[in-house]
Amino acid sequence: GAPSRGDTATLARQGAATGYGLLERNDPASALQRFDDEVRRLSRRLAVAILFGMWSMAAAFLLYVDPGLDPKTAWWAALFSGIFAVPVLGYSAAGFWRMALRSLRLHSPGLDLLVCIGAAGAMLLSLVSLVRGGSAIFFDTATMLITLLLVGRLIETRVRRGAIAALNAVDDLAATKAQPAGGGQAVPCTFIAPGDAIWVDAGAAIPVDGVVSHGETLVDRAIARLD
């Protein structure tokens, strides 16, 4: 392919435009650290969403269980529901708003945009109702949407983190060096070129793909490294 279409800098720019970044393939510790940071960030946002969303729903619950509530009391309950929803819609949902805007710029709508439209619609209708002196609000619906999306995103991130950890564990079991057939010290597998011959000790793992050209023995076939 054309180098201008596949160089690392171009891929990094295009990935950054969509909200993603490139990770070094041979830096598993950095990849795991990034996932750990993301899990902590999502956990903080989810904690805020649950804490304030709970109170927002509690205030709205008064309106649901008692439709005949005094209009002034109902308006104050609706207002408090909106106040408690602010940290959820501002802090907890910050990443979703950002990704929703990026998806619009890229003309590639996704789940973040769908949830943000629903949350924004519920919020705007509620504000209009409050300004008009009414108490028909949907702040609790908006906070619930954000909270559910955060739960899903946190589970997804933890699963991906576990997958990376499992791949790294498998990679650690694989042989990382090979012994050139011509003698000398073992070298990293990345230095072995197609057509090179290597020695493999009896019972050892084969570090690279190849065919047996001389001798017969038993080898460790549990892990095969592909470089």
Side-chain angles (χ1 to χ4, degrees), residues 76-215:
W76 279 105
L79 178 62
F80 280 120
S81 179
I83 291 174
F84 284 118
V86 170
V88 182
L89 298 172
Y91 172 73
S92 298
F96 302 145
W97 296 116
R98 185 166 55 251
M99 291 302 295
L101 291 175
R102 284 179 175 173
S103 69
L104 286 176
R105 289 200 302 267
L106 296 170
H107 305 289
S108 179
L111 179 61
D112 290 329
L113 178 60
L114 180 63
V115 171
C116 287
I117 290 175
M123 179 177 61
L124 290 176
L125 287 175
S126 300
L127 290 175
V128 170
S129 178
L130 285 175
V131 170
R132 292 180 175 179
S135 58
I137 47 94
F138 309 95
F139 292 116
D140 55 319
T141 302
T143 60
M144 181 181 64
L145 286 174
I146 299 302
T147 302
L148 290 177
L149 185 57
L150 279 170
V151 170
R153 197 59 53 84
L154 179 60
I155 293 175
E156 176 191 4
T157 303
R158 291 183 67 89
V159 170
R160 292 173 62 189
R161 195 267 183 202
I164 293 294
L167 290 174
N168 289 335
V170 171
D171 194 59
D172 291 340
L173 295 175
T176 58
K177 292 186 177 182
Q179 177 69 49
Q185 295 183 345
V187 297
C189 294
T190 52
F191 286 90
I192 303 300
D196 289 351
I198 63 171
W199 291 106
V200 179
D201 294 332
I206 298 176
V208 294
D209 283 352
V211 297
V212 178
S213 59
H214 300 287

Side-chain angles (χ1 to χ4, degrees), residues 22-97:
L22 299 182
L23 294 178
E24 289 292 338
R25 179 183 181 276
N26 294 322
D27 190 9
S30 176
L32 287 176
Q33 183 61 46
R34 287 173 181 265
F35 275 109
D36 288 337
D37 293 341
E38 181 68 7
V39 167
R40 285 191 290 269
R41 185 182 68 84
L42 289 173
S43 297
R44 288 194 299 268
R45 294 185 185 275
L46 178 59
V48 171
I50 293 175
L51 176 63
F52 288 92
M54 175 182 65
W55 288 108
S56 178
M57 291 182 181
F61 187 70
L62 293 175
L63 306 175
Y64 300 150
V65 297
D66 190 1
L69 197 64
D70 176 70
K72 185 175 182 180
T73 304
W75 187 87
W76 279 105
L79 178 62
F80 280 120
S81 179
I83 291 174
F84 284 118
V86 170
V88 182
L89 298 172
Y91 172 73
S92 298
F96 302 145
W97 296 116

